[in-house]
Structures are given as structure tokens and as C-alpha cells.
């Protein structure tokens, strides 16, 4: 987005309407920047990636083992890619597959104690560092940004797109 709309803070000027196309372009450029910011704040050693970190962090929010489809959907990962991701984390002893209590054909994924340690000791601090991006915002600005993001999510859901609400994985 190359222009900044004028607003009520600009004396003598009227607000320039921002189009949906401009907002979409803004989200697209932010997506790339946020991904780079997350990459920079993930521990450099040990081969940690954003999808691996996101999966491990997401598993800490689960009270029970979860299916790979449920875990992969918020990451936008295909079942095949999810299998590769879980295979690697399982090989390192960070997650394990367990049987489904009612359907023996289904395997669920849970954190191991070693995986929980990685999340607490390595990913927790890097997650806090990544979240520091919003330290430049006032509490009111953060609340308004979250409100607007929830509204975008609601708009997608009304159009049939399954978007997790903030706080869900």
C-alpha cells in the first residue's frame, strides 16, 4: 500500500476512501512480513520452522490428543504435508501418535514431555519476542486491531470459509 489515507487528524482534508483491493493488497504484504518476523524469532538451532513451532504451540492448547486434520487445517497444510511434519517431530521424540479411543483406524497426535519442554524453554520465549511486534501499539490500538481482525474472520465465515476465531488453533 503506497498511500496513507487522510483522516480527521488532517486539517482541511477529507478522508480518502480505502478500497477493498487496497486492503487486500495490505494483507498480502503483511502476510509475507509477518512470516519473516516469525522466522527471525524462532530458535535458529535444531531445525525449527514456523509450521513445526505452530504445531507444537497448538498442541499445548489441547487437553486431549488431536487428529492431524484438525491440527493441519489452521496451518493450511495438506494431509500429506502434515504426515511429513508429524513424522519428523515424532522421530525427534517431540510428539507421539496414539490410537483413537473409538476408531482404531485413526491416529491422534499429542506432545511428549520432551515436546512440552521445547515449547516451554525454546518456543515460549521466541513467541514472546515475536509478539513484541505489537509493543508499539497502545492497549486501545491492540484492542481495535483485534476487533477488526475478528470482523474480517466473521466476514469470511459468513461466506462459508472456516476460519478459527482468535485464540483457537
Amino acid at each position: 500500500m503506497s498511500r496513507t489515507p487522510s483522516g480527521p487528524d488532517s486539517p482541511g482534508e477529507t478522508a480518502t476512501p480505502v478500497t477493498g483491493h487496497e486492503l487486500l493488497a495490505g494483507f498480502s504484504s503483511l502476510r509475507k512480513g509477518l512470516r519473516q518476523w516469525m522466522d527471525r524469532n524462532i530458535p535458529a538451532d535444531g531445525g525449527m520452522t514456523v509450521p513445526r513451532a505452530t504445531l507444537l504451540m497448538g498442541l499445548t492448547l489441547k487437553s486431549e490428543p488431536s487428529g492431524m486434520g484438525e491440527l493441519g487445517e489452521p496451518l493450511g497444510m495438506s494431509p500429506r504435508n502434515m504426515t511429513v511434519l508429524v513424522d519428523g517431530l515424532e522421530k525427534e521424540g517431540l510428539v507421539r501418535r496414539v490410537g483413537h479411543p473409538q476408531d482404531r483406524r485413526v491416529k491422534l497426535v499429542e506432545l511428549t514431555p520432551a515436546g512440552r519442554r521445547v515449547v516451554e524453554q525454546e518456543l515460549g520465549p521466541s513467541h514472546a519476542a515475536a509478539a513484541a511486534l505489537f509493543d508499539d501499539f497502545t492497549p486501545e490500538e491492540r484492542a481495535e486491531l483485534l476487533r477488526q481482525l475478528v470482523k474480517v474472520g466473521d466476514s469470511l465465515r459468513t461466506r462459508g470459509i472456516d476460519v478459527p476465531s482468535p485464540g483457537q488453533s
Side-chain angles (χ1 to χ4, degrees):
M1 291 179 22
S2 59
R3 73 179 176 95
T4 304
S6 60
D9 296 335
S10 305
E13 295 183 31
T14 60
T16 304
V18 177
T19 67
H21 294 285
E22 290 172 305
L23 289 171
L24 194 58
F27 272 104
S28 293
S29 64
L30 279 175
R31 180 177 175 252
K32 181 179 179 184
L34 286 170
R35 178 64 182 244
Q36 289 174 354
W37 179 249
M38 295 299 292
D39 281 339
R40 287 184 186 167
N41 284 286
I42 288 179
D45 55 342
M48 191 59 66
T49 63
V50 171
R52 296 180 82 183
T54 303
L55 177 62
L56 292 172
M57 295 286 290
L59 282 169
T60 65
L61 303 174
K62 307 288 183 182
S63 59
E64 297 178 357
S66 301
M68 286 198 285
E70 175 188 348
L71 295 167
E73 190 171 334
L75 292 170
M77 296 187 75
S78 68
R80 173 73 182 127
N81 288 341
M82 198 58 199
T83 299
V84 170
L85 179 63
V86 171
D87 285 348
L89 292 170
E90 188 175 39
K91 184 177 179 182
E92 294 174 34
L94 302 178
V95 301
R96 70 176 149 244
R97 287 180 171 93
V98 295
H100 190 283
Q102 284 85 33
D103 188 343
R104 64 187 180 135
R105 298 169 296 170
V106 175
K107 290 291 183 185
L108 304 175
V109 180
E110 67 181 4
L111 272 179
T112 63
R116 193 162 302 281
R117 277 192 301 281
V118 165
V119 169
E120 292 168 358
Q121 295 171 3
E122 297 176 31
L123 297 180
S126 68
H127 191 262
L133 174 66
F134 300 101
D135 287 351
D136 296 339
F137 289 64
T138 66
E140 294 79 19
E141 289 169 331
R142 286 192 297 266
E144 179 61 17
L145 178 57
L146 182 58
R147 189 182 74 73
Q148 294 293 337
L149 292 172
V150 167
K151 191 170 183 177
V152 171
D154 290 345
S155 184
L156 285 166
R157 280 187 286 282
T158 63
R159 288 164 172 81
I161 305 299
D162 185 22
V163 178
S165 298
Q168 289 183 324
S169 286

